[in-house]
Amino acid sequence: MSSSELEIQKAADGQKEQPVPAGAEITGAKEPEADTNASSKADRDFAAAEQYKNQGNDMLKTKEFSKAIDMYTKAIELHPNSAIYYANRSLAHLRQESFGYALQDGVSAVKADPAYLKGYYRRAAAHMSLGKFKQALCDFEFVAKCRPNDKDAKLKFTECNKIVKMRAFERAIAVDKPEKTLSEMYRDMENITIEDDYKGPQLEDGKVTLKFMKDLMEHYKGQKRLHRKFAYKILCEIDAYMRAQPSLVDITVPDEEKFTICGDIHGQFYDLMNIFEINGLPSEKNPYLFNGDFVDRGSFSVECIFTLFGFKLLYPNHFFLSRGNHESINMNQMYGFTGEVTAKYTSAMADIFTQVFNWLPLCHCINQKILVMHGGLFSTDNVTLDNIRRIERNCQPPEEGLMCELLWSDPQLWMGRGPSKRGVGIQFGPDVTETFCKNNNLDYIIRSHEVKDMGYEVAHNGQCITVFSAPNYCDTMGNMGAFITITGNNLKPNYKSFEAVPHPDVKPMAYANSLMNWLA
């Protein structure tokens, strides 16, 4: 049984840990007549809450996370002092990547019963997912002290402590100095020797060609690696190109010509290949925009990113890439990309990717009418496209402000704004979207960032469209992927959903930190 399955089984077994609530009948005890009605109601509420909890546990096992959350919520409404109900709902929120909600329920579980240690695990898991390792470490340390003989508790504390110390060391050795381009840093890469037994694709005079890209994709399908010399060369070329791009890229799609927008790929290389099989390879007549989160979670992220970077170099004016919240060092170290690059190449190359990702554009505007960003809109109504153009993006995503919200925010069904379910960015309603589009003379926005059953969702009276292109996300969610096509003289979106295709037997998160594997 995997650690994830074990966690769900423990959640399903939670009724064994549930204390008898105050007022519940104990066999053989006599209650005063005046308390009979109150006691009976408490018994009925508790019994109903337990039924809802058990239904939630069943749905958690079958990965129906939204339904599980509904069941746990009903249980909490009937019996609001159960730490188990909050802890189980926290787990369901974690599975949906609603880390802010998961944190709230972890806190509630600890408040409801400070002796219920699983509440501390849930709170720690949410803090870890948000990159707040020091806060997570406090919870792991508390559990380890409470259970000094529990090897699992000690392991989690030790692993989290390693991460905290590593982050502190990285900050200590960091120095402010003028940043060099990758070409300046890796001048000696031209001297890298290509071994005689390497039979893979090769750049032609140092340049990406269509033949190289076709050979590369076939090479990757056979689970082979691009030679490090060519990998470094592609990274140097993409670094130089992206540095010259604005934070908001304007795209003109000519009349009658098709343009395709894809959402999150998340290291699912074989599903990326299926998109090209369905919709055609990128070309000057078949342009694409990929809207962030190219890497992490899926264990073929290296193959995805070099394929995407290769096509960007081959068709710089007809192939576009936006930054997502996972193109950042925190996410990459937690969710597998850093580990994958280190395993397939070197830790030095992982550092190079961090620099390259800092220069990715933040959003694109198509024919002055469609704004495409990874996350969503903003905490104020006065944001203009020029404000976005002026963002200094060469950095790690901050925890607030325009750049943060472009990468992290989500739409909500109700009016106004609210705190983010993720704990980062905001949630924005239909009125916010309408005002933003009106102020900037836009027809609608396209964003990604969220799993959708059909791979897309139309919200906010058609002005906020979500597209997600990683089907059966993490091999668990059962969703379809999708992409959107438009034409230059008809900006009405057309949707194409598609199912996941088979891939080699390498599990998602295979390269992630062991502690993150437990969380996932």
Side-chain angles (χ1 to χ4, degrees), residues 356-500:
V356 172
F357 287 162
N358 281 353
W359 286 105
L360 290 174
L362 300 177
C363 52
H364 294 75
C365 190
I366 302 173
N367 286 9
Q368 301 180 337
K369 288 297 181 181
I370 307 169
L371 189 67
V372 186
M373 78 289 285
H374 181 73
L377 296 180
F378 310 100
S379 51
T380 60
D381 280 335
N382 57 354
V383 177
T384 66
L385 299 187
D386 282 340
N387 293 142
I388 299 173
R389 289 186 176 96
R390 289 193 291 268
I391 295 174
E392 296 288 340
R393 70 184 187 278
N394 179 28
C395 61
Q396 288 303 295
E399 293 189 2
E400 59 184 12
L402 298 187
M403 181 174 173
C404 169
E405 290 161 359
L406 279 169
L407 299 179
W408 278 98
S409 291
D410 295 294
Q412 62 185 21
L413 296 177
W414 51 96
M415 296 292 187
R417 295 177 173 88
S420 170
K421 63 187 178 184
R422 301 175 189 268
V424 187
I426 65 156
Q427 292 184 185
F428 58 96
D431 55 328
V432 175
T433 303
E434 181 180 7
T435 298
F436 178 80
C437 288
K438 181 179 180 181
N439 289 348
N440 290 282
N441 197 27
L442 300 170
D443 289 349
Y444 58 90
I445 66 170
I446 296 176
R447 40 91 61 183
S448 301
H449 197 38
E450 286 186 287
V451 178
K452 299 298 177 184
D453 287 343
M454 295 301 295
Y456 70 93
E457 181 180 78
V458 182
H460 296 184
N461 303 309
Q463 288 191 298
C464 180
I465 299 170
T466 298
V467 59
F468 191 87
S469 303
N472 194 25
Y473 179 48
C474 291
D475 285 357
T476 62
M477 297 300 290
N479 62 290
M480 300 186 79
F483 54 82
I484 297 170
T485 58
I486 59 170
T487 57
N489 60 343
N490 182 3
L491 299 180
K492 178 181 177 182
N494 301 289
Y495 309 99
K496 174 63 178 178
S497 297
F498 57 92
E499 295 183 345

Side-chain angles (χ1 to χ4, degrees), residues 141-183:
E141 183 178 21
F142 178 81
V143 175
K145 287 181 178 179
C146 291
R147 293 179 174 173
N149 297 321
D150 187 328
K151 293 182 178 179
D152 184 62
K154 185 177 180 180
L155 176 63
K156 290 180 173 65
F157 168 72
T158 301
E159 289 298 316
C160 187
N161 198 28
K162 286 180 183 177
I163 296 174
V164 170
K165 289 181 177 179
M166 178 186 70
R167 294 295 176 89
F169 176 74
E170 289 173 347
R171 288 194 298 270
I173 64 173
V175 294
D176 292 328
K177 58 183 179 181
E179 185 183 274
K180 295 181 179 180
T181 66
L182 293 183
S183 294

Side-chain angles (χ1 to χ4, degrees), residues 81 83 86 104-116 119-120 123:
N81 297 319
Y86 287 112
Q104 292 174 14
D105 278 344
V107 170
S108 296
V110 171
K111 286 183 177 179
D113 184 359
Y116 183 61
Y120 296 91
R123 189 167 67 180

Side-chain angles (χ1 to χ4, degrees), residues 25 48 136 164 186 199 210 231 245 263 273 453 457:
E25 182 179 350
V164 170
Y186 294 93
K199 305 300 181 184
L210 180 57
Q245 298 305 297
M273 293 298 96
D453 287 343
E457 181 180 78

